[in-house]
């Protein structure tokens, strides 16, 4: 199972029954590039098919957990190809790839070692349990970039922190600190050694009855599967519509230049 940290995703057996998956593009703050997405998909397929595993821990290298989707492709090629229908064909498989923790049959624990931004926040939310380092932050700056949220954020975020707080995060894009995330229930604990804390919890879960644990996860997933899929399908339409506007380019450029964007709604 072990892979070296020279690849974009590292997979290690941390202890009997516990896998540690590490996003390893620190130079890009673990942004969800094509390379990282492909490697992540391979690792998730391997983890899902390994009957010896009882828990999976997900974390990142460097200063960030995951800075979200890589939007550099918006600057490449013929922008006329970025039509909503073509973008939808790209986005839905991308969503499903990164939401794999929901489909893994064993509990998945996120060790959020730094900022979890946009789609990176959604990855953390897709995990069953989250722990944060003191430097971890959480934000959903989609509208501030000129785009609609994706990866079922309109279901995952309210399901985790409640609708009023989800509205605040999605409308304002503001950064939520680790301390706030703890009081909101977004994370279960804050620890200096967040990976160590997550592995400690994972090892405790791994000692529980494995069939009962798998069935418990499956049962929890039955609470509102229709709403989740509805959110996913809506965002696979709404996000491509916004990605085909001029506002997204204005928002991305403003973010790169560290200034406030000026959106015209076109």
């Amino acid at each position: 199972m072990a892979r070296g940290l020279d690849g974009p995703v590292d997979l290690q057996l941390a202890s009997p029954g516990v896998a540690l998956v590490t996003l390893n593009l620190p130079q890009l703050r673990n942004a969800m590039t094509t390379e990282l997405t492909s490697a992540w998909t391979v690792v998730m397929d391997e983890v899902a098919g390994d009957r010896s595993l009882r828990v999976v821990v997900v974390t990142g290298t460097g200063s960030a957990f995951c800075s979200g989707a890589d939007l550099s492709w918006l600057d490449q090629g013929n922008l006329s190809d970025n039509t909503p229908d073509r973008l939808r064909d790209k986005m839905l498989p991308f969503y499903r790839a990164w939401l794999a923790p929901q489909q893994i049959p064993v509990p998945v624990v996120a060790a959020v070692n730094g900022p979890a931004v946009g789609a990176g926040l959604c990855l953390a939310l897709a995990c069953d349990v989250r722990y944060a380092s003191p430097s971890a932050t959480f934000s959903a700056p989609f509208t501030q970039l000129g785009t609609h949220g994706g990866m079922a954020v309109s279901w995952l975020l309210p399901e985790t922190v409640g609708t009023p707080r989800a509205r605040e995060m999605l409308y304002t894009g503001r950064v939520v600190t680790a301390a706030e995330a703890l009081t909101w229930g977004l994370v279960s604990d804050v620890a200096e050694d967040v990976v160590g804390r997550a592995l400690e919890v994972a090892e405790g879960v791994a000692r529980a009855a494995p069939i009962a644990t798998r069935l418990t996860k499956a049962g929890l997933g039955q609470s509102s599967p229709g709403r989740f899929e509805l959110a996913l399908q809506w965002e696979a339409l709404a996000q491509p519509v916004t990605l085909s506007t001029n506002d997204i380019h204005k928002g991305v450029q403003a973010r790169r230049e560290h200034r406030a964007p000026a959106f015209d709604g076109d």
Side-chain angles (χ1 to χ4, degrees):
M1 170 180 284
R3 304 167 189 266
L5 268 173
D6 55 342
V9 179
D10 177 57
L11 172 61
Q12 301 284 337
L13 186 65
S15 60
V18 179
L20 176 62
V21 177
T22 306
L23 305 182
N24 186 40
L25 281 182
Q27 68 276 21
L28 297 177
R29 301 177 74 238
N30 300 318
M32 295 165 168
T33 62
T34 300
E35 177 191 23
L36 188 64
T37 301
S38 296
W40 167 263
T41 300
V42 170
V43 168
M44 286 296 102
D45 287 344
E46 184 173 341
V47 165
D50 190 338
R51 294 289 300 180
S52 71
L53 292 181
R54 298 187 177 188
V55 191
V56 177
V57 175
V58 176
T59 192
T61 54
S63 62
F65 174 71
C66 178
S67 59
D70 174 28
L71 296 178
S72 63
W73 57 270
L74 285 169
D75 300 329
Q76 302 167 358
N78 185 355
L79 292 181
S80 65
D81 290 340
N82 294 338
T83 59
D85 59 330
R86 290 173 179 168
L87 287 168
R88 186 180 188 278
D89 290 341
K90 292 181 182 180
M91 299 314 297
L92 199 53
F94 174 84
Y95 296 165
R96 294 196 190 282
W98 284 102
L99 291 169
Q102 294 236 317
Q103 305 305 318
I104 298 294
V106 298
V108 181
V109 180
V112 185
N113 57 297
V117 184
L121 168 65
C122 296
L123 171 59
L125 293 172
C127 297
D128 296 282
V129 186
R130 289 159 295 281
Y131 294 88
S133 72
S135 62
T137 58
F138 304 84
S139 60
F142 298 103
T143 60
Q144 311 305 306
L145 285 170
T147 187
H148 190 285
M151 275 179 61
V153 68
S154 58
W155 185 88
L156 289 166
L157 194 54
E159 195 260 350
T160 303
V161 302
T163 300
R165 284 171 170 156
R167 284 176 176 149
E168 181 190 3
M169 288 184 71
L170 289 167
Y171 291 157
T172 69
R174 83 171 181 87
V175 175
V176 174
T177 66
E180 283 181 297
L182 181 60
T183 64
W184 287 13
L186 204 164
V187 300
S188 297
D189 196 9
V190 177
E192 288 286 348
D193 179 9
V194 67
V195 174
R197 177 74 173 106
L199 288 173
E200 177 187 18
V201 172
E203 287 163 5
V205 174
R207 289 191 290 270
I211 295 174
T213 301
R214 284 173 176 252
L215 290 175
T216 297
K217 177 163 180 173
L220 289 168
Q222 297 302 310
S223 59
S224 52
R227 274 195 61 211
F228 174 82
E229 186 61 26
L230 186 63
L232 203 63
Q233 293 293 337
W234 164 254
E235 291 173 15
L237 171 64
Q239 191 172 60
V241 167
T242 55
L243 288 174
S244 63
T245 65
N246 289 325
D247 275 348
I248 180 64
H249 299 286
K250 295 170 184 173
V252 170
Q253 188 63 32
R255 179 62 58 91
R256 288 173 180 163
E257 296 173 359
H258 304 288
R259 59 175 173 81
F263 295 122
D264 297 319
D266 59 355

